[in-house]
Amino acid sequence: MTPSAPGTWVDPQHDPRATGFDPVGEKETLWEYLCRYRMTLVMKCEGLGAAQLARRSVPPSSLSLLGLVRHLANGEHHWFRRVLQGGTERGPFELRGMPDIDFDGALADDQCVAEAWAAWHRAVEVADEWMVGEDMDREVPYQGGTVEVRDVVVHMIEEYARHMGHADLLRECIDGRTGL
C-alpha cells in the first residue's frame, strides 16, 4: 500500500505501531516505546530479500539491516536474559574474540535471515514474558555494581532509537523508501 501522506512509511491510520493502547505509568509507557521501536525494525526490513537485508552500508563498515537484527537479538538476550534474569548462556550471535560477529556474520543467505529473525523473536518473547512481573526499581548485579531494571529498559529504548536511524538510511539506500 502506498501511503497517502508523503514522506511517511505507512498511512498514519494504518500504522501498526499505533496500538490504541494508552499506557499508564512509567513501566507501561517505557515498554510501549520499546515495542514501537521493535515494530519499526520489522517494518524497515519488510519485503526485502536476503541480499538486500545483508547489503552493507558504506565500506569498510559491516552495518546492514540483517546485522542490526542480529545485533538487537544479542542486545535483547544480553540485557533481559543475562543481566535481569541471571542467565549464563551466550547471545545467539556472540562468539568470543569476534566482537562484531553479529554484523560480520550477516550473510546474504535465506537461512542466515531465518536464524536472525528466529533469534530476535525468541529474545523479544523472553523479555516480554519476563517484564510482565518485573519491578522497575529492582536492582541487579552488574559489572561489580548494580543496575536498576528501569536503566536496562531505558538503555534498550536508546539502543533501538539509535539503530532505527541507521535502519532508515539503510532502507533508503536499498529501495528509496523513507519516512517514519
Side-chain angles (χ1 to χ4, degrees):
M1 166 193 302
T2 303
S4 61
T8 61
W9 192 257
V10 295
D11 282 323
Q13 66 269 25
H14 296 109
D15 191 336
R17 295 167 295 187
T19 62
F21 172 72
D22 192 15
V24 176
E26 177 191 31
K27 180 178 175 180
E28 291 78 13
T29 300
L30 292 175
W31 205 254
E32 180 73 7
Y33 273 98
L34 181 58
C35 290
R36 286 177 191 212
Y37 278 122
R38 288 169 170 170
M39 177 57 70
T40 300
L41 174 67
V42 171
M43 291 170 68
K44 294 296 178 173
C45 295
E46 278 179 338
L48 298 178
Q52 292 169 308
L53 288 168
R55 182 176 170 183
R56 309 300 175 145
S57 59
V58 178
S61 175
S62 59
L63 183 68
S64 68
L65 286 168
L66 181 57
L68 287 175
V69 173
R70 292 164 52 100
H71 176 72
L72 291 165
N74 273 345
E76 294 263 1
H77 174 85
H78 171 76
W79 288 104
F80 292 112
R81 178 69 188 105
R82 260 199 304 222
V83 174
L84 293 185
Q85 296 179 46
T88 58
E89 67 277 359
R90 287 189 191 150
F93 305 106
E94 185 180 344
L95 294 174
R96 293 208 194 296
M98 299 184 74
D100 291 329
I101 192 64
D102 40 0
F103 290 104
D104 294 338
L107 306 175
D109 173 82
D110 289 336
Q111 182 176 348
C112 184
V113 171
E115 288 171 357
W117 280 115
W120 182 80
H121 283 290
R122 223 176 9 259
V124 165
E125 287 170 13
V126 167
D128 286 348
E129 289 171 8
W130 179 260
M131 284 303 295
V132 168
E134 187 61 273
D135 175 7
M136 297 291 276
D137 293 324
R138 185 172 74 92
E139 293 185 7
V140 297
Y142 185 67
Q143 295 185 342
T146 60
V147 64
E148 286 184 346
V149 171
R150 132 183 333 96
D151 291 331
V152 169
V153 174
V154 169
H155 172 72
M156 285 305 296
I157 292 168
E158 181 242 354
E159 184 80 0
Y160 272 90
R162 177 176 57 249
H163 290 313
M164 289 312 94
H166 298 133
D168 287 341
L169 294 172
L170 288 163
R171 183 64 190 243
E172 185 175 6
C173 286
I174 292 168
D175 64 5
R177 286 189 74 183
T178 62
L180 304 173

